[in-house]
Amino acid sequence: MRVRYVRLAAWAGSIALSVGVVALVVLLQLDSYHGMLGNAHRQLSGSAIGTVRMLDQYTEASLGPLLAMRNAIDSGDPGPLHIRLSEVQARHPELPTFVALDADGAVVASTSVPLANWRGALAAPRRTALGVSVRVAITDAQGAEPPAIRVLVDSRVAQPAIFGTVIDAERVRDGMRHSMLGGIAAMSVFSPDGRFFVSNREAASTRWTGPAPASGSAGRYEDDTWLYAWQASANYPYVALVAMDREGIFAEWVRQARPSMLATLALVFLLNGFAALFDRAYRRQTRLVDALSRSARHLGDVQRTGHIGLWEADLAERTIAWSGQVHEITGLPPERLDGRIGTYYKLVHLDDQQAIVDWLELFSHGDGPYECEHRLCRPDGREVRVNLRAARIVSEEGHLILAGTISEITALHETRQRLQDTDRDLAASEAAYRQLLARMPLPLLIVREGCIEYANRLAEERLGGASTTLVGRRAEDYLDAEALDAFRGGAPEGTNITAWIEPAYGMPFEAELALSDYRDSRGVGTLAIIRDVTEQRRYEDQLNHQATHDELTGLPNRRALRERLDALVVQSVADSTGLMVMFIDLDHFKVINDALGHVLGDQVLRDVSLRLGDVLDGVGQVGRFGGDEFVAMVPFDGSPVKAVEILPRLQRAIEEPLSVDGTLQRLKCSIGVAFATRDGADADTLIRNADTAMYDAKRSGRHAWRCYSAEMHATAMARLSVLTRLSEANLDDELALAWQTQHDGTSGAITGVEVLLRWPSAPGDLRGNDRLVPLLEETGAIVPVGQWVLREACRQQRLVLDTIGHDCRIAINVSAQQLVHTDLVADVRRALAETGARASALELELTESAFMNEPERAIRTLHELRAMGVTIALDDFGTGYSNLTYLSRLPLDKIKIDRHFTARLLEDEVDTAICRSIVFLARNLNLQVVAEGVETDRQRRWLLDEACIDMQGFYFSRPVPVQDLGRTSRLDPIPL
């Protein structure tokens, strides 16, 4: 009990001291955490003030160039105004745009395209800064334009009335990211009414939810996860909000508190460790006493479990002492053991008694230990087999005695007998196994310790000689080093290796070795089955060549080209050298195939591939991409200008006459060029861009080469947009119509209206027809689009006629492809029937190219349309082929002078003469003539003098939506 009380007192003191230390440290660290929260609040407030100060500086810095324009510009003339804006933009590149506005907020001049809507910024309250009236507003995103701060300064003149510039969000975001807390805090800027402007993070985690703050006010607040501080600008309408994550503060506090907490834990562990050592010393003595008792019990348990008895015999006294387990082994009860050796000797089997005598005689010559195995005949009649093991030792009294064990091994002896019988069976099985190996249909070897121990008949024939045998020879005489290493290291079941075999006679060959362990009575070896794979390798090489090379020309195919080009790009980057990729396409090769057949066409491709290989031999590599397309790769040092000097050589090599079926053929080619890594850093990108450049060369007239540029990719993307977005199902959602009126040049009265195609949501510069219509014709999309324009114009015919007068005609442009690929008459008839439109109010405008492919069909179609009451006009006259033969045969009502000639009237004598000739020709053919592109009064007067009455152009009206036709039409007479 005294020991127990001492132990409890030691533990109680240790625990009380540990609790006190832990409580003190916890209180100190909690106080430190609250201090860190207060410091974070102060940092957030300072960061909010700094953000507002930065925005004020950006705003006031933007006033300088605006005031410079205000003081310098005193006229609304667009030319000087654009130049002045561009000069200021060049001096202040940090401001993305400068604009001049009229009093209603419409853009008069700007340094950027597309133009943004500035009317919303006019509602901002005026403030006085630097002695002038200033308006500052945060505006929302407009389409692709992100949110921005717009700064407006009133002009000194009436037109333009206002000058403005933009502080873009990216500039403010960059400033916030470089501030003191830019990397750890979430910083956002809002307008006073809560509209978000910019944040230093991609996904802003803060939102302004409070009421509009007063100018120059500040505050702070917090919630469960964030600490916030805000500051409103005293001069301009924006609020800075800065937030810091509580988890970050907590993590910093944990980092600072960790050393103290670890030291405290170490102290607690030390105190409790001393208490544990003290407790352990008091427990040790009790455990030692318990261990001695357990050892005595375990000794008895071991004897009973293992059927092992202990004994000691004094040979001089002929006495023996037994343990209790000996009684169970011998079957003698304790009362029949009188301690004499003879008692045990009587139980020994008669045939084994001499063995016992000989075993005991051994101890007269040595101390042992010695063993003896014999049989015992138990009193119950059962015969058991036991094992005696003993050694001679000196007892405590100084006598020599034998100390040993006795164990029953009857079951072990029976098992041993069965194993001997099994060995005999295994020997018979081994003989049968050897016979099976001899019949193996492949060469087979058994190798043990580097020597061939067995070889079947096929192995002897394939590897050995007629007069010698493989058995007994060294394996290294026939196998290579890799196979020998596998034999030495041991071969798990299922191991397969490839090795070269060198037979005694004949050529070495490649073989696949199937290895496995081989065990028999003589030990462990390795069994190897040999399969000759020479033919298989040759077939695999052939298949690999077919997979990576073009069957027709033998050049690398598309797959191999990509792999080689990727490797060359990596090598080019590593060596800091250049790499030129050329996409080569034969011009009009289909003509040869169609005329001479594919067999001779294939021969031409083979000859071309040989010529390309000759030109690039030692310089680069060439492969066939498919069809009549080849890809060449040429590494180079120095300038790309030097590298392209090989292109004329390639063209000349292809242009050399080819003898094809007794005829001489001259080929030409178009080549597209791309450079790594300027035009792409991988094979697919480089080949695609070179292909794009090649198609640009074909569009330029073929027999040329072009280097890839970003504009080509933009054109390809525009072509893809036309194909994907302008499908028949999407036309109603994508396209729109604009209407431009045609006027009497004398009175200004409207004589007709032309329908113009528009794509409002088009990418890039496809909103206008100059780029859109050629792409539609190139991609073939002009046919469904033209049908849609015809149907939509007919649908809106009644509204247009009600607006501008029923004696007018609606002119619709028809593509040449609509004449060739569709039944235009059926399309017009269907559109009129579905919409209820009048044919007499419909005018179709066709260009001269529409009659070049199938003139007879085109003339017949126009006659049918004219018979329906539709008016036919020849558009852009003078810019095409101007075939007067067709002009005399065409059923035309009207000729339109192209704006190209009208725009240069009175400036270029040739264009003036052409216009005069066209008007004269039309008047003599009794055709109405309309001049397009009239923009000035001088042009109008000249045309009237030449008897050209009908006109169309910006001088009268711009293209407008249908609902604006009534407001833009010029109906008043025009004085001469």
Side-chain angles (χ1 to χ4, degrees), residues 409-430:
I409 59 170
T410 304
L412 178 62
H413 177 73
E414 293 174 354
T415 300
R416 191 183 299 155
Q417 288 297 117
R418 287 195 296 270
L419 286 176
Q420 291 177 356
D421 295 338
T422 301
D423 288 342
R424 288 192 296 271
D425 295 338
L426 286 176
S429 298
E430 183 178 353

Side-chain angles (χ1 to χ4, degrees), residues 311-316 318-321 341 360 400-404:
W311 56 270
E312 289 183 358
D314 189 338
L315 297 180
R318 306 294 292 175
T319 60
I320 187 170
I341 292 179
L360 292 175
L400 290 176
I401 64 174
L402 298 181

Side-chain angles (χ1 to χ4, degrees), residues 244-272:
M244 186 176 294
D245 191 357
R246 281 181 178 269
E247 290 185 359
I249 300 173
F250 181 76
E252 178 63 19
W253 172 74
V254 169
R255 187 185 65 81
Q256 295 181 8
R258 186 180 291 112
S260 299
M261 299 301 293
L262 292 177
T264 303
L265 290 176
L267 180 59
V268 170
F269 284 136
L270 185 61
L271 291 173
N272 287 277

Side-chain angles (χ1 to χ4, degrees), residues 373-390:
E373 184 179 321
H374 64 88
R375 291 168 287 178
L376 284 179
C377 297
R378 291 163 52 102
D380 58 7
R382 179 172 168 237
E383 183 179 295
V384 296
R385 185 171 289 271
V386 298
N387 178 270
L388 294 178
R389 179 181 175 85

Side-chain angles (χ1 to χ4, degrees), residues 550 552-553 589 592-593 596-609 624 627 630 660:
D550 176 49
L552 176 64
T553 63
F589 178 74
I592 293 180
N593 266 344
L596 302 179
H598 288 278
V599 174
L600 294 178
D602 290 345
Q603 180 60 46
V604 170
L605 291 177
R606 283 191 288 267
D607 292 342
V608 169
S609 67
R624 187 184 179 201
F630 299 85
V660 183

